[in-house]
């Protein structure tokens, strides 16, 4: 398991990332990747890292990234489904948060309506508090929630997404009503981080990699991760190891529009798969420390269907869906 977790996918372009020589037999693909969220979050980072790697490997001639934030990614998804149908030069980055947002917002579109190309990462979420917080452990946080769920302010990503789900599950474990959670949703990871550093929240949830720097600097105190097992290099213990029967994998993947098929689909699948398997991608991954959850298109398609039903059941159980 440790080795599996070390083989990772990078979702953020780092300053100082190695520059690779141009590939002479570059693909003629000219792509646009939609990140259905603001700058600084996981989807934006995923898109820009894929952009870098596809161009470094020569799997694409050019890659443009566009941000379309709003409603947990459902605004960007709806635009993608509506305007990019059949387009072989358009891609979308998304993950579990968009699954949850589609359900909780009763969105007319969801990820079963686009074309899965590959599942990319499956990373732990981390539960944090500000460095000056009197909350020193997950048990302290549970006690705080139990005392007054309404004044326990959480920050994280979009409503109904992975961050929100984890906060609600922890609230439920504390014996409080998860439907009464005081959760402030942000479309970009940078905004949630600013709220945490500014002391405007009791606790926060994000992908570990997004807040790793602040955790290591001591500006944030990590109480737990959502992965089922410990991860090398992360001091925070899993929730399961601390007595809570909670695990949640924050996965992300890449999609083509509906209606892309035949040779066009095969070309996109090959470009993505070759990029993910490349040394350039692995080098970016190593620098970033993300975890591998790769699955090819056929396997990913089945996963999307089962994950949609699983997330719906969780959201229903905590009062975020009917």
């Amino acid at each position: 398991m440790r080795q599996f977790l070390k083989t990772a996918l990078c979702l953020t372009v780092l300053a100082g990332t190695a520059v690779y020589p141009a590939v002479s037999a570059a693909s003629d693909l000219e792509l646009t990747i939609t990140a259905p969220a603001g700058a600084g979050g996981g989807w934006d980072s995923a898109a820009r890292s894929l952009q870098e790697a596809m161009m470094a490997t020569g799997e694409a001639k050019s890659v443009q990234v566009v941000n379309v934030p709003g409603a947990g990614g459902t605004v960007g998804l709806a635009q993608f489904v509506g305007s990019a149908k059949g387009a072989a030069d358009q891609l979308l980055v998304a993950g579990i948060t968009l699954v949850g947002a589609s359900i909780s917002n009763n969105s007319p579109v969801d990820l079963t309506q686009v074309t899965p190309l590959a599942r990319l990462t499956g990373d732990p979420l981390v539960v944090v508090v500000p460095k000056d917080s009197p909350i020193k452990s997950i048990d302290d946080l549970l006690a705080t929630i139990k005392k007054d769920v309404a004044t326990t302010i959480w920050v994280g990503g979009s409503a109904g997404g992975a961050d929100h789900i984890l906060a609600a599950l922890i609230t439920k474990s504390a014996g409080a009503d998860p439907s009464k959670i005081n959760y402030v949703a942000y479309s970009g990871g940078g905004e949630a981080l600013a709220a945490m550093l500014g002391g405007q929240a009791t606790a926060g949830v994000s992908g570990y990699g997004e807040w790793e720097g602040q955790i290591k600097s001591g500006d944030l105190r990590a109480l737990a991760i959502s992965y089922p097992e410990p991860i090398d290099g992360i001091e925070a213990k899993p929730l399961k190891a601390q007595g809570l029967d909670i695990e949640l994998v924050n996965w992300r993947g890449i999609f083509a529009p509906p209606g892309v098929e035949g040779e066009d689909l095969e070309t996109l699948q090959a470009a993505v798969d070759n990029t993910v398997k490349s040394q350039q991608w692995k080098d970016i991954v190593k620098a970033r420390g993300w975890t591998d959850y790769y699955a090819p298109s056929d396997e990913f398609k089945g996963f999307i269907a089962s994950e949609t039903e699983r997330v719906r059941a969780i959201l229903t159980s905590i009062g975020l869906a009917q």
Side-chain angles (χ1 to χ4, degrees), residues 207-241:
Y208 183 86
E210 293 180 46
W211 288 353
E212 182 178 16
Q214 290 72 30
I215 292 169
K216 290 186 174 179
S217 71
D219 292 315
L220 296 176
R221 180 184 302 125
L223 303 182
I225 58 172
S226 66
Y227 227 78
E229 296 184 8
I231 297 177
D232 290 342
I234 297 180
E235 291 186 9
K237 296 179 180 179
L239 289 162
K240 277 204 163 187

Side-chain angles (χ1 to χ4, degrees), residues 63-119:
V63 183
Q64 178 185 2
V65 175
V66 296
N67 295 88
V68 186
T74 57
V75 172
L77 176 61
Q79 178 177 304
F80 187 76
V81 169
S83 66
K85 185 175 181 179
D89 61 350
Q90 301 289 318
L91 299 175
L92 173 81
V93 168
I96 187 174
T97 287
L98 208 157
V99 174
S102 297
I103 295 168
S104 62
N105 292 332
N106 292 315
S107 173
V109 293
D110 61 33
L111 289 180
T112 65
Q113 294 170 249
V114 290
T115 306
L117 293 178
R119 190 178 63 198

Side-chain angles (χ1 to χ4, degrees), residues 256-276:
V260 177
E261 53 191 24
E263 186 176 342
D264 286 342
L265 179 58
E266 291 175 2
T267 298
L268 288 175
Q269 287 173 335
V272 169
D273 287 348
N274 290 341
T275 299
V276 169

Side-chain angles (χ1 to χ4, degrees), residues 176-219:
D177 183 351
S179 67
K180 295 181 179 179
I181 186 174
N182 188 346
Y183 182 85
V184 182
Y186 292 95
S187 62
E191 295 175 331
L193 176 60
M196 287 298 303
L197 296 178
Q200 301 167 26
T202 308
V205 179
S206 183
Y208 183 86
E210 293 180 46
W211 288 353
E212 182 178 16
Q214 290 72 30
I215 292 169
K216 290 186 174 179
S217 71
D219 292 315

